[in-house]
Amino acid sequence: MLSLTRRRFLQGSAVTAGALAAHRWLFGGLETLARADPLAQGPPVEDMFPTTCWIGKQDCGMLARRIDGRVVKFEGHPGNPRNAGTLCPKGQAQIVSIYDPNRVKTPLVRTNAKGQKGEFRPTSWDEAITMIADQVNEVRARNPKLVLWQKGRSKAKDFYDDAFVKSIGCSKLGHGAYCSDAGYRALEYTIGLHGVQHPDFQNVDYLLAWGWNITNAGGNKFCWLTWPRQMVVARERGMKIVHIDPRLRSAGPFADKWLPIKPGTDLALALALCHELVNQGYVDTEYLTNYTNGPHLVGEDGLFLTETVGEGDEAEQVPIVWSASADGPVRADQASQAKLDGTYEIDGATYRTAYQAFTEHLAQYDPDWAEVVCGLDAQQIRQVAREFGEHARIGSTTVVDGVQIPYRPVSIMSYHMAQQELGFQALRAMTYVAMLVGAVGAVGGMFSDFEWKIHKNYAAFEELTVGDPPYDYMLNKSKYFPINTGFPGVVAKVMLDPERYEVEELPEVCILHMVNPVAAFPGQAEIMASYEKFRFVAAITPWLSETADYYADVVLPAATIEKYEGVISASDGILDAKTLRLPPMEPLFESRGEIDIYLDLTEAIGTLFGDDGYLAVVNSELKLEGEFALPLDRKPTPREIFDRWARSQGLEGGIEYFERNGVWVKGLIPPEKRYGYAADPPFGGALHRIYGASLLAAQRQMQSKGADEIYWRDYTALPTWRAPTMESSPAEYDLYLISYHMIEHKQSRTGMVPLLNELAPHQRVDMCPRTARRIGVAEGDEVWVESHNAVTAETRRVKTVVALTEGIRPDTVAMPHHYGLWSVPESSDRGPTPNAIYPTGEGYMANTADQSFHVKVRVYPANGGDEA
Amino acid sequence: MAVRTTTPGLPYGVGRLTTAWKAFVAIAAAVVALGLYAFLREVTQGMRVTGLRNLGTGGGATWGLYITFVVYFIGVSFAGITIAALIRLFDLRHLRPLARMAEVLTVVALVLGAFAIVVDLGQPVRGVINLFRYARPQSPFFGTFALVLAGYFFASLVYLYLGSRRDAATMAREPTRLQGLHRFVAAGYGDTPAERERHRRASFWLALAILPLLVIAHSTLGFVFGLQIGRPGWYSALQAPGFVVLAGVSGIGLLIVLAAIVRRTCGGEDCLTERVFAWLGRFLLVLLLVYVYFLATELLTGTYAAGEREVDVTRQLLTGDYAWIFWASVALLVLPLGVLAWQALSRRWSIGLLVASGVAVNLAAIGKRYLIAVPSQTHGQLLPYEAGSYAPTWIEYAVVAGLLALGALVIALFMKFIPIIELPDESREEVTADA
Amino acid sequence: MTKYAMVVDLNRCQGCRACMEACKVENNTAEGVFWMHVFRFETGEFPDTRQSYLPRPCMHCDNAPCVKVCPVGARYKREDGLVLTDFERCIGCRYCELACPYGVNYFNWRKPADSYFLDWGDTDIQAATGGAIPPYRNPDLDEPQGAERRMTAGGGHHKGVMEKCTFCVHRVEKGMLPACVTTCPVAALRFGDVEDAASPVSKFLREHEHFRLLEETGTEPSVFYVGGNPPGSETRQIETIEVGV
Ligand SMILES: Nc1nc2c(c(=O)[nH]1)N[C@H]1C(S)=C(S)[C@@H](COP(=O)(O)OP(=O)(O)OC[C@H]3O[C@@H](n4cnc5c(=O)[nH]c(N)nc54)[C@H](O)[C@@H]3O)O[C@H]1N2
Ligand SMILES: Nc1nc2c(c(=O)[nH]1)N[C@H]1C(S)=C(S)[C@@H](COP(=O)(O)OP(=O)(O)OC[C@H]3O[C@@H](n4cnc5c(=O)[nH]c(N)nc54)[C@H](O)[C@@H]3O)O[C@H]1N2
Ligand code: SF4
Ligand code: SF4
Ligand code: SF4
Ligand code: SF4
Ligand code: SF4
Ligand SMILES: [Mo]
């Protein structure tokens, strides 16, 4: 800027220079910022160019205000159903990150040993791409699966990464249960939908906000602001929120009732609520009889009584129910009036209906029991159950767009709730709370996805095959994790000790795409150790992630918002809409969009062209057929790909439609797609599983194959409470550590945004004042937070500062995610990540490899408190 | 009398540059230079170099040491002009020797006050221009600093000039290096009885005019703080009178110190008698009594009568971050009060103790000005912001030291041109006789 | 006759501080400067804890102490209710900041170019931005505003002068809403003409109980709060913003 000022001085004559100087001296007029584009001649050219948020998970629509081609501001796109012209703080602040001089500017090649702060030399794209291609091909020749392509919290639903994976046949790894996968599996298993839990805000009256960080973070599927937008309107209608969370801050002022539950005990609370609903008679027998496996008869072995129909491969097992009309056992698919409850004699053996088994199972879980386990008040639990049952209006129906649909204005919102040791079973039990009153898929009821599409896992989970060793390094079909989430924690443990898991082949090459495991994943030590084992690691990232810094051999500079991405859903669950991320400016530095990168990479690998090459997969992923299909012998530009897609959708002007309008709103999602009851067949034909016979079957196989109890104990047909592993830590570890997201930051990917650091500058540990008094610390004091792994007896500790709030259980402390970064100056020295003290692995990684974000800790003053 | 003994040459050390004097001037000049350097840094780098910060989320104080001294300087000037005026008005012959010191003090203090304002501006040069270019009388700020003070700044200048003119005329008859300058200052004044009579009357009426001006000036100064509803601790009716009295206290205190110095260094023993100091002592005593009374009431209203925020601020003064300054100031007011009272009763006045008291009350005055300005900013937020803090940086200390040194320098120089003590009339007879 | 006012719906506010960010980006304010600030409050003890949020722009008072005390008329009130600072006239005495009961004024303590977070000297970036500081520099801020054509949009953030929320005068003049209002995810912020009885804000105010901050100081603020209640003596701030600038 100075240089420019000076240049302007020189331009002017000595006189004007003098005058300027005088003016400066008198009025400080020039002691100001460089004007917008001082070099531009004539009046500035201004326009608004549509794109989408690059930071977040739901890709809110944006308009980039450009002055002479320079982006100066992002405004929310008014036409995008998700954000309707608004943006959250991260959406606003990302403007700085685009121009961040700390971005990776050129491809980099590592020059020092891995496992330490990286030293890199800049290189050409050609060299970088060739290096990666050679490594990939060398391994592919032996076994393509030993190339691991890893992506974490993706933004836009991207076809191009899948296309890459499929075209070279490598393995793909996501964030797994480090996000909410345990919940996804539970809902896929129980109702067949891919998602966790959310309400129909247009109609719901009574909502259980179950571990939903309302005023800060996602909830089911969304990044944030769409849910609060719908929530405030619903509250103005009179909707009540019961906030089930050890912290109040997540709901802030919106908690009509706060149940400060003890961390990790949600399964117990869910079972107690079911207990009360059944006892108080809030049961939708019609739904349970017709749409769940409740009537199926269960034998003493805990498995379903079935009858084989058809021969050979055609043969399938059809469950038996007790027919009231026939007063005897009948095939479920032929029964007229199946009995929902009861115990029956068939050929001397006794059978009870699955629902009967369920209600008997519930007997032990009354609110007085839960009061102790969950640290809540039994009366409060009873009251919530009653209010939930009453608001459910069992039996009522309403008409939506001419379709008559059951009306159950009670629901649940939950997502990271799944991040606990018993996450999978807890989410099943929580779903039962909605199922008992028939609220699943009803108007105002509980949903899991925006359209009633049955996920392939639903069928797959009917038969859980537990295979024999050797297992692949993800432990698919293993006796350890028969339901497998594809979990980085598992991969890490396997790589550190393959024999133990009876694995023979380990991955050798890793491509990191939008993932930062070292900073973002619990069990940091294990995660880091596992990356040491890769022979070659390539990272595609706009900033040097901590993982890239320590372990990448090659780093490719990804563009930030200056790139094409998509196709992106812009649906808010009510309207169906599509959008694309469009580049408001040329990529800065030598950075490039991922599509360009993968086109080059596959070309170098030799899998770009041809019938099952990258382009071919792109065609099928985007359903580009006939005239719209990409020719398989020519490298397209990203813009061309999306242009063809847009035309294939019948949008005249192709991609220009989006360059003009930004978003394509297709219209309301019809009730037949939204509401399970209205779907044809109802609920997509998936019978809701209130009884998980296949889980029990899996448990038996695991036992027969000699798996330890720690692996099979939670594979139970009905969600069964047991004390979490952390409870067996010694008594001096007297506090629960939980974790959460802050509104000001996004995962570990906004640490370098100074505008956000200004609002949330550093890590802290939230603590109740009475707890602080007990420990003898005050606001702002430095403390050690030391965790204890109840299985390995290992302890880990981090130093941070105390933040007092009366909005947290006295037996619980909380540390937000987002911190503990080091690879960019701006993000460094802002305090530790809780992932440094969260254990991963056995005990904290249970059942379907559900990662626990809970551990017992002790907190003590850091001054002289270095005695550990 | 003394004057006769100081022949040859001019009375009261005029024109005589002792080494002690030279050393003093040199040191003062050095300090001024330092202050100037600090100020220039502030101008070029912005006021970030001071300890000042924004209120509210900034968690600081936006007015600090500079404003403290603005108020202090103006307070001092007040005393000067008052005494000068009183002497003229009631023709208090035995106090005449104090008149000129008082006037010099006033003028110098006012100039320093003005400078202190300028150094506190974010845009100093622009400030000097715009304060007049866009003057807004509605602003108490303007009312105080631009109008009234300027008004009596002018008045005291006139005094100083009328008096000096006479002495200059007298001294111009001596053939010295300064003869030319003295002739110039005298500007044809012949000191005939007629002229002398005209002087006397002019002075009298001027005095009459000034007195009300004074009261307004210091009331408005009080209002600068007093009228701010936004600042707990400031919105107090007592501010105005409180200001006036404390101003008097500091001013008289300083006058005592100056008089003592003059008595020592310029051979003023003949006219700066015990009696003069006793009078100053009693005056100071009275003002102190009144002020301590104000202080007490102010505290009571602050603690009991007022809203919770006021109480907060007061608590900070009594027990919080500012307690040490507060209690130190109180001590520096109460101790002199005791000393003076004892001297008054025993009717025996020690100049040493008087000087000590003078210094003490001035430190106290500075402390009190600071406590009025700062705590209501750091702890007086009406919205629940975090409490703030303020600590001056060396830049601020240097600038203030520079200002004080500048004042001392000016007075020191002045003394060498015009007698710091008005020449008594009889001495004049003498000189004329010799001629 | 238009008179602008802002209405804050505390029944909706998420305390997300997007308004603060929108303001910072739109108005290019420097480090540690928050023309809009959102308090996060807490009262009571576990488990009977209550939390609330409170956005705080400049109140654009009808009886503004800051205007009264400004010695040079740099701080002034427009007919349409906006209280603005003419940064070309301001002498930096900071008297307005003292007089304001709401703590919304921000003085420019240092060279603006030193106050923008990162080092923008990077040549590649300069090439893309023409050397603008910050790179998202908004040219509107350098334009004189309103009929009186005074420099009130806070542009330049000159060293040694005062600044504060302008109600986004440069947007309002163009018929746009303030940046904070547009970005608010839950439409908790409303802005409009309260003289016009038919305007949405007027309607909203008629239909809802509302209060203004520190009414007792007689400042007649133009910012109204619906729902919730004013902070009291037992109100504690949580998640405070610490800034050393
Ligand atoms: N303690 C604790 N840990 C948590 C959580 C928690 O709540 N508490 N949350 C968990 C959850 S929900 C998730 S989803 C995971 C997320 O963990 P990750 O999926 O690892 O997400 P980030 O931490 O944001 O890391 C993303 C990385 O991708 C890179 N990146 C960013 N944008 C782009 C881009 O446009 N292109 C490319 N190629 N790369 C990009 C950046 O280097 C960034 O570091 O974290 C989990 N970690
Ligand atoms: N601002 C922001 N928004 C984001 C993200 C971000 O990083 N920043 N990340 C996005 C991503 S990837 C995801 S997955 C979503 C996650 O969004 P959320 O599902 O809302 O996840 P968290 O923010 O972790 O909130 C989890 C809540 O559960 C509470 N909790 C912790 N332990 C327990 C427990 O044992 N029982 C109960 N009942 N509650 C518990 C915590 O106190 C916290 O309030 O957010 C998305 N949105
Ligand atoms: S909610 Fe998520 S996607 Fe939307 S603007 Fe904020 S960060 Fe971006
Ligand atoms: S943007 Fe809206 S919701 Fe967020 S803090 Fe500001 S006013 Fe509240
Ligand atoms: S809030 Fe403060 S700055 Fe804004 S108008 Fe009122 S007094 Fe002036
Ligand atoms: S700082 Fe500027 S605007 Fe504020 S009172 Fe002083 S001159 Fe007026
Ligand atoms: S109105 Fe404009 S200036 Fe005022 S707070 Fe909102 S965005 Fe900032
Ligand atoms: Mo996630």
Side-chain angles (χ1 to χ4, degrees), chain A residues 13 418 494 839:
Chain A
S13 69
V494 167

Side-chain angles (χ1 to χ4, degrees), chain A residues 32 99 105 236 758 805-806, chain C residues 12 24 32 42 122 125 156:
Chain A
T32 172
Y99 297 111
K105 294 178 175 176
E236 281 159 11
E758 186 177 43
T805 169
E806 291 283 354
Chain C
R12 287 189 164 206
K24 294 210 69 155
E42 190 172 277
D122 188 291
I125 293 169

Side-chain angles (χ1 to χ4, degrees), chain C residues 58-61 64-66 75 83 100-102 104-105 164:
Chain C
C58 164
M59 302 289 141
H60 294 267
C61 308
C66 65
R75 175 64 56 84
V83 174
C100 170
Y102 302 93
V104 307
N105 288 275
K164 66 159 189 70

